[in-house]
Structures are given as C-alpha cells and as structure tokens.
C-alpha cells in the first residue's frame, strides 16, 4: 500500500514545509498492518530514524497525511538488538516451566507488526503494580495467567489490588526480597514487576519483567495496554529509571523528558 519512495518524499516535503534541515536519510523498508491500521517505517540506522521522526513533528504530520491510526519508526539496529535479546531469552526459559513464553518470543522475533498467538499460562503469578502497572496486568491477562495483584498503598487508586507497605522508590525499583516473601505466602511461582532485568530466579521463584525480557519499549506498551501515572514516585529514582530505559533503547528520550518534567512540576 505504501512504498519506501513515497514515504521518503513525504518526509522531505514535511521537513521543508517546517524549515527543518534537509538532512540525508535512508529508509530500508515500510510495513503496513492493515488489520490495525498501523504503519511501520524501518530506517537504516538510528540517525536516519531521528530524521524521520523529526522531534515528533514529522512523524505526526506523516500520520495525518497518510490517514493511518499510528506511525512508528524503528532502525534496523533496533530490530537486530531486539532479535539478539530474544534469542537469549529463548535459552533462559527452556526447561524452567516458563515455556509458555516461547510462542510470544517467536512472535516478537517477527515484529513489526506484533501478532501474538493465543497463549495460556498455568503458573500462579503475583503482579506487583510498579511503573508499568496497567501493562503488567494486561500481560498477565493476555497470557491467561492465574494471578493476583499487590501494590503500594494509594499509588494506583484507579486499579484494583491488595495494598502493601512500601517506599515510593519501589514503584521504579521493586524490592526483590519483599516480593519473593509475598509470593511464597501466596504460593506463587512467578512475580511480574518492573525489575531492572528481564528474568532472574530467586529461591525457586521466577522474577520477570516481561517488557525488558521481550525488549518492548515504553511507547509500544502505552498503545498495547495503556498507562496509569503513579501518584507517588521517588524523584531521584525516576531519573535513574528513565536514564536506564533510554540507554537500553526501551524509551524515547522525549518520553523520558516528559515524564521527568511532569513529576518535577508536581514537586514544585
């Protein structure tokens, strides 16, 4: 439906109209997901990707003019890193009881677009409502995991969960020891939270951040499951959290800056 040449010319046109530099760039591939009306532009490298995004202005104008629901830009490097991490993830779950994740890993290797098969997990799961609370709940529901949710009191007032005591920094950097103890009390063998790693085992319990594990970024999660702003965060921890996600390619710098700005204004 859309060609590389057509999109490249439209990017140049939008940049000229808005007095942006006529920077050289290269688009390697365009993929259109007709079912969900999403266009995926695959730029050659991250510099090309930045030109196409154009501080969100160019990509926004592309969406308007092409009349599609969503336009997302990736670089071939982004996708190569994702596939490498998924290959590592595949090895980590074999023979562990988490093999139900394998069809999701295989589907993510073919991303974009995202086409997850129907998966039913049977591992009893504890969901700790941390930063990506809605996405964590959505992931557990999508995989039909038998689960219960806990979270720090008052942090996510719109969500249904069992409140537990904790510090605001745990919303960004969950306390592993505390969650293992809570999981044991509930006979859960899997904990989902925004851990600073993909998968780790502790005392026979799997600690999983499914989004680091599958290398799915913050921008994608908002569209997949929605996002609920925590009412309380530790500001120093937030800067570290955003910096780490941005470094790993899981958050766009503009999204990170907007999050920090939002909470900084609230603190004032």
């Amino acid at each position: 439906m859309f060609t590389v040449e057509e999109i490249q010319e439209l990017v140049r046109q939008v940049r000229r109209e808005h007095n942006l530099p006529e920077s050289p760039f290269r688009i390697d591939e365009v993929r259109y997901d007709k079912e969900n009306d999403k266009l995926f532009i695959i730029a050659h490298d991250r510099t090309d990707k930045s030109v196409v995004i154009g501080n969100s202005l160019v990509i926004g104008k592309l969406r308007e003019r092409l009349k599609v629901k969503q336009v997302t830009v990736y670089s071939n490097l982004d996708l190569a890193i994702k596939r490498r991490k998924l290959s590592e993830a595949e090895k980590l779950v074999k023979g562990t009881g988490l093999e139900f994740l394998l069809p999701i890993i295989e589907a993510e290797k073919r991303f974009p677009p995202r086409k997850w098969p129907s998966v039913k997990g049977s591992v009893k799961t504890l969901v700790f409502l941390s930063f990506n609370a809605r996405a964590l709940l959505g992931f557990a529901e999508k995989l039909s995991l038998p689960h219960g949710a806990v979270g720090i009191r008052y942090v996510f007032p719109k969500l249904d969960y069992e409140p537990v005591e904790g510090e605001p920094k745990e919303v960004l950097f969950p306390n592993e020891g505390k969650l293992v103890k809570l999981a044991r009390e509930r006979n859960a063998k899997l904990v989902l939270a925004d851990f600073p790693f993909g998968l780790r085992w502790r005392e026979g319990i799997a600690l999983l951040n499914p989004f680091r594990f599958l290398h799915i970024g913050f921008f994608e999660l908002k569209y997949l499951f929605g996002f609920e702003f925590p009412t309380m965060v530790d500001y120093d921890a937030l800067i570290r959290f955003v910096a780490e996600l941005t470094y790993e390619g899981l958050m766009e710098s503009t999204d990170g800056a907007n999050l920090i700005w939002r909470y900084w204004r609230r603190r004032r």
Side-chain angles (χ1 to χ4, degrees), residues 32-38 115:
Y32 178 61
D33 177 7
K34 187 175 181 180
E35 180 183 349
N36 297 298
D37 193 26
K38 295 180 180 180
K115 302 288 184 182

Side-chain angles (χ1 to χ4, degrees), residues 117-132:
S118 179
V119 171
K120 185 173 179 61
S122 59
V123 179
K124 190 171 182 182
T125 302
L126 177 69
V127 180
F128 176 65
L129 300 189
S130 38
F131 183 73
N132 286 298

Side-chain angles (χ1 to χ4, degrees), residues 176-240:
E176 296 177 40
K178 179 190 294 185
L179 292 178
V180 167
K181 182 180 178 182
L182 289 171
R184 283 193 173 281
E185 291 171 357
R186 291 158 177 77
N187 295 315
K189 295 297 183 182
L190 172 64
V191 178
L192 301 183
D194 280 287
F195 295 114
F197 50 80
L199 175 63
R200 179 180 294 170
W201 294 83
R202 187 161 171 173
E203 298 178 34
I205 293 172
L207 306 180
L208 176 69
N209 181 335
F211 316 123
R212 282 182 185 266
F213 186 71
L214 297 169
H215 203 69
I216 301 175
F218 175 70
F219 174 84
E220 299 166 62
L221 291 179
K222 287 191 296 183
Y223 281 94
L224 273 174
F225 301 111
F227 180 71
E228 188 77 26
F229 281 98
T231 58
M232 296 182 289
V233 295
D234 179 282
Y235 298 100
D236 292 335
L238 177 64
I239 293 172
R240 178 184 160 199

Side-chain angles (χ1 to χ4, degrees), residues 47-65:
T47 303
D48 300 314
K49 172 183 171 180
S50 296
V51 174
V52 176
I53 292 173
N55 292 326
S56 298
L57 185 151
V58 176
I59 196 173
K61 293 298 179 182
L62 287 180
R63 184 179 59 81
E64 290 175 12
R65 297 190 186 187

Side-chain angles (χ1 to χ4, degrees), residues 103-114:
I104 304 299
I105 293 171
E106 197 58 39
E108 283 294 302
K109 287 181 180 180
R110 297 188 291 271
F111 175 84
R114 178 167 285 110

Side-chain angles (χ1 to χ4, degrees), residues 7-263:
I7 300 302
Q8 287 184 156
E9 181 52 39
L10 189 53
V11 169
R12 293 189 188 99
Q13 183 181 330
V14 170
R15 291 185 68 86
R16 284 196 299 268
E17 290 173 0
H18 293 273
N19 298 314
L20 296 174
E22 293 194 22
S23 305
F25 67 96
R26 176 177 160 187
I27 294 174
D28 288 343
E29 188 180 353
V30 173
R31 301 180 191 176
Y32 178 61
D33 177 7
K34 187 175 181 180
E35 180 183 349
N36 297 298
D37 193 26
K38 295 180 180 180
L39 179 67
F40 300 93
I41 299 171
I42 301 173
H44 186 64
D45 61 27
R46 285 178 173 169
T47 303
D48 300 314
K49 172 183 171 180
S50 296
V51 174
V52 176
I53 292 173
N55 292 326
S56 298
L57 185 151
V58 176
I59 196 173
K61 293 298 179 182
L62 287 180
R63 184 179 59 81
E64 290 175 12
R65 297 190 186 187
L66 295 170
K67 294 181 170 56
V68 295
K69 180 181 176 182
Q70 184 181 327
V71 178
T72 311
V73 186
Y74 297 92
S75 73
N76 267 316
L77 179 59
D78 293 330
L79 298 179
I81 290 171
K82 181 181 179 74
R83 287 191 294 268
R84 178 175 59 80
K85 289 185 176 292
L86 288 168
S87 293
E88 295 169 357
E90 195 171 35
K91 296 173 185 175
L92 288 175
V93 299
K94 288 182 177 178
T96 66
L98 300 181
E99 286 87 355
F100 62 87
L101 292 170
L102 290 173
I104 304 299
I105 293 171
E106 197 58 39
E108 283 294 302
K109 287 181 180 180
R110 297 188 291 271
F111 175 84
R114 178 167 285 110
K115 302 288 184 182
W116 284 6
S118 179
V119 171
K120 185 173 179 61
S122 59
V123 179
K124 190 171 182 182
T125 302
L126 177 69
V127 180
F128 176 65
L129 300 189
S130 38
F131 183 73
N132 286 298
R134 281 200 182 275
L136 291 163
L137 288 171
F139 183 83
E141 291 163 5
K142 183 76 174 176
L143 273 63
S144 302
L145 289 165
H147 67 279
V150 299
I152 297 173
R153 196 181 304 273
Y154 308 126
V155 172
F156 294 103
K158 295 181 182 179
L159 302 180
D160 185 23
Y161 64 96
E162 177 189 342
V164 295
E165 297 303 318
E167 300 294 327
K169 66 181 179 182
E170 292 174 39
V171 175
L172 302 164
F173 294 96
N175 185 312
E176 296 177 40
K178 179 190 294 185
L179 292 178
V180 167
K181 182 180 178 182
L182 289 171
R184 283 193 173 281
E185 291 171 357
R186 291 158 177 77
N187 295 315
K189 295 297 183 182
L190 172 64
V191 178
L192 301 183
D194 280 287
F195 295 114
F197 50 80
L199 175 63
R200 179 180 294 170
W201 294 83
R202 187 161 171 173
E203 298 178 34
I205 293 172
L207 306 180
L208 176 69
N209 181 335
F211 316 123
R212 282 182 185 266
F213 186 71
L214 297 169
H215 203 69
I216 301 175
F218 175 70
F219 174 84
E220 299 166 62
L221 291 179
K222 287 191 296 183
Y223 281 94
L224 273 174
F225 301 111
F227 180 71
E228 188 77 26
F229 281 98
T231 58
M232 296 182 289
V233 295
D234 179 282
Y235 298 100
D236 292 335
L238 177 64
I239 293 172
R240 178 184 160 199
F241 180 82
V242 166
E244 289 183 3
L245 284 184
T246 303
Y247 176 78
E248 292 180 34
L250 294 174
M251 180 178 284
E252 294 295 333
S253 55
T254 50
D255 281 330
N258 287 335
L259 283 168
I260 292 170
W261 172 246
R262 175 190 175 96
Y263 285 105

